[in-house]
Amino acid sequence: MKALEGVRVLDLATLFAGPMAAMLLGDFGAEVVKVEHPARPDPSRGHGPGGLWWKMLGRNKRAMTLNLSTAEGQDLLLALVRDADVVIENFRPGTLERWNLSYDRLREANPRLVLARVTGFGQFGPYAKRPGFGTLAEAMSGFAAMTGEPDGPPTLPPFGLADGICALATAYAVMAALRARESTGAGQVVDMSIIEPILTVLGAQPTIYDQLGIVPPRTGNRSVNNAPRNTYRCADGSWVAVSTSAQNIAERVMRLVGRPEYIAEPWFATGAGRVEHAAELDEAVATWVAARTRDEVLTAFEEAQAAVAPIYDVRDVLTDPQLTALDAVTTVEDPELGPLRMQNVMFRLSDTPGEIRWTGRPHGADTSGLLSELGLSASDIETLREKGVV
């Protein structure tokens, strides 16, 4: 038994936020059907080195092609919708309507359908029809403005941060809509913008500005809430990160690095006070760390019960004993590439665990099978191929 067994999802979206949300649902047993254009596959199939992004984003999905701009393609989608629970799409607002696939029409085919619409800025408002990408959300949410060194430029993340956060939020929104359906018997529309989830996880910035007029500055790796908090270079050239969010941890760190006198200072008693003296505290920690190898630093911090972590790259991630114990990066057999390592499902359920059943399938690999399940014959399917419908 899987947690989402019996839930059927049609993934019409491309690139990251929508497809990743569908992936997350598929990880816990939802039957996900990836619907792509016959001639223009999801760009994630060619994204990054070797197009390997698709192997992850497409996992646990059956892959079919369908040209939704044709009447026959629209009719076939409606046939799929009749047995579906969720449709995820990320077309610009108005696109489904232009294809005669508005929610009203989808709901006629299936009143219980949940339609998740993922766009850069939502379904309405002055920016609604702009192209929407995670980078724009990272820029406009306030994230980039507060990220980077104080004397440097605003900094964007080197990966799809806003898209990933949006994917998590979309999966959550879909589950909320499905839970509501248990009470009402009816589906509904999820209007998800990429910008709002990352705005939410940035914390209380709007409230702080509203009440105090404070605009978060760029602080590099320091925190505006506590100190010392930074990255520090070890004698062997590797790096560690130190956090002192709790007062007792800050005291342990100062004792460890040989500066216990700071603890008696009145300003040391609060995170805000320590932030005002971050340069002094950073110098003390940095000097101590710089005289030791990473292993020596980690051992000493562990013995002192202070908070530290090594700065990993992906090579370290793949060999870390804790992540290995969790099977956080697992090995999946891929028909084309053989054993393939990728992130595992992101949490464990004791009774209905998730799993990666297969990696991303070739473009249109399951089209014939899915159309056969709708009752189409082999000759019907071949005719559709000749017409460019599938």
Side-chain angles (χ1 to χ4, degrees):
M1 174 79 183
K2 301 299 178 186
L4 298 180
E5 191 171 312
V7 174
R8 195 174 198 201
V9 180
L10 300 178
D11 175 12
L12 277 55
T14 57
L15 288 176
F16 304 117
M20 185 173 285
M23 181 201 82
L24 295 171
L25 298 172
D27 281 351
F28 285 88
E31 179 189 351
V32 182
V33 175
K34 175 71 176 182
V35 180
E36 299 171 85
H37 191 280
R40 296 189 297 277
D42 187 330
S44 67
R45 288 184 179 274
H47 187 81
L52 291 172
W53 267 84
W54 169 252
K55 291 296 183 181
M56 176 189 174
L57 281 177
R59 72 193 193 192
N60 295 331
K61 300 178 184 180
R62 301 171 74 187
M64 75 172 298
T65 60
L66 206 55
N67 187 343
L68 298 180
S69 66
T70 66
E72 289 163 296
Q74 294 157 16
D75 289 341
L76 288 170
L77 181 70
L78 290 172
L80 291 167
V81 161
R82 290 186 183 97
D83 293 322
D85 297 284
V86 181
V87 169
I88 300 176
E89 62 96 359
N90 69 338
F91 304 111
R92 289 197 204 183
T95 300
L96 281 186
E97 288 75 9
R98 190 172 71 249
W99 291 339
N100 199 25
L101 291 170
S102 68
Y103 183 61
D104 286 342
R105 190 177 184 205
L106 297 176
R107 187 164 49 185
E108 287 177 6
N110 182 354
R112 293 172 55 82
L113 183 73
V114 172
L115 174 62
R117 315 194 74 171
V118 183
T119 57
F121 302 103
Q123 293 293 312
F124 58 90
Y127 303 159
K129 294 194 176 182
R130 289 184 181 180
F133 296 100
T135 297
L136 309 187
E138 290 147 8
M140 295 178 65
S141 63
F143 172 84
M146 65 181 295
T147 304
E149 294 299 324
D151 57 351
T155 302
L156 297 166
F159 64 100
L161 176 63
D163 284 292
I165 296 171
C166 181
L168 291 164
T170 301
Y172 168 64
V174 166
M175 296 308 300
L178 291 175
R179 175 61 183 88
R181 191 180 71 175
E182 294 180 11
S183 301
T184 66
Q188 59 183 301
V189 175
V190 173
D191 179 1
M192 176 66 68
S193 71
I194 298 175
I195 194 171
E196 288 172 287
I198 189 172
L199 179 62
T200 297
V201 302
L202 287 176
Q205 291 184 26
T207 306
I208 293 170
Y209 178 76
D210 175 68
Q211 294 297 304
L212 303 175
I214 296 174
V215 177
R218 287 192 287 283
T219 59
N221 290 320
R222 289 180 176 173
S223 169
V224 297
N225 300 309
N226 61 80
R229 189 268 198 178
N230 215 321
T231 59
Y232 305 94
R233 189 169 188 172
C234 305
D236 56 9
S238 57
W239 293 78
V240 296
V242 172
S243 175
T244 57
S245 296
Q247 180 68 26
N248 62 339
I249 298 295
E251 294 174 5
R252 291 172 191 170
V253 169
M254 287 300 104
R255 292 191 188 100
L256 175 62
V257 302
R259 303 303 295 267
E261 67 273 15
Y262 283 137
I263 300 173
E265 295 288 344
W267 52 261
F268 195 88
T270 65
R274 298 198 306 275
V275 167
E276 293 179 0
H277 295 263
E280 301 166 57
L281 298 174
D282 266 343
E283 182 181 6
V285 177
T287 301
W288 185 90
V289 169
R292 292 160 176 81
T293 66
R294 186 175 79 175
D295 287 346
E296 290 172 337
V297 171
L298 297 178
T299 298
F301 265 75
E302 185 173 354
E303 291 174 351
Q305 298 184 44
V308 69
I311 303 293
Y312 279 172
D313 63 25
V314 67
R315 295 167 295 184
D316 302 306
V317 168
L318 293 176
T319 58
D320 179 81
Q322 177 61 31
L323 294 173
T324 298
L326 295 174
D327 197 26
V329 177
T330 195
T331 300
V332 187
E333 193 67 28
D334 180 79
E336 298 172 293
L337 302 175
L340 192 64
R341 301 179 81 178
M342 66 175 61
Q343 298 95 319
N344 206 342
V345 300
M346 65 171 62
F347 55 88
R348 286 158 291 282
L349 296 180
S350 61
D351 296 333
T352 56
E355 66 173 333
I356 303 172
R357 302 184 295 283
W358 62 82
T359 57
R361 303 265 288 149
H363 182 229
D366 302 294
T367 301
S368 295
L370 286 159
L371 294 179
S372 296
E373 292 171 15
L374 293 178
L376 277 70
S377 67
S379 61
D380 292 334
I381 297 170
E382 184 57 33
T383 299
L384 292 171
R385 290 190 192 282
E386 292 172 356
K387 296 170 69 173
V389 176
V390 300

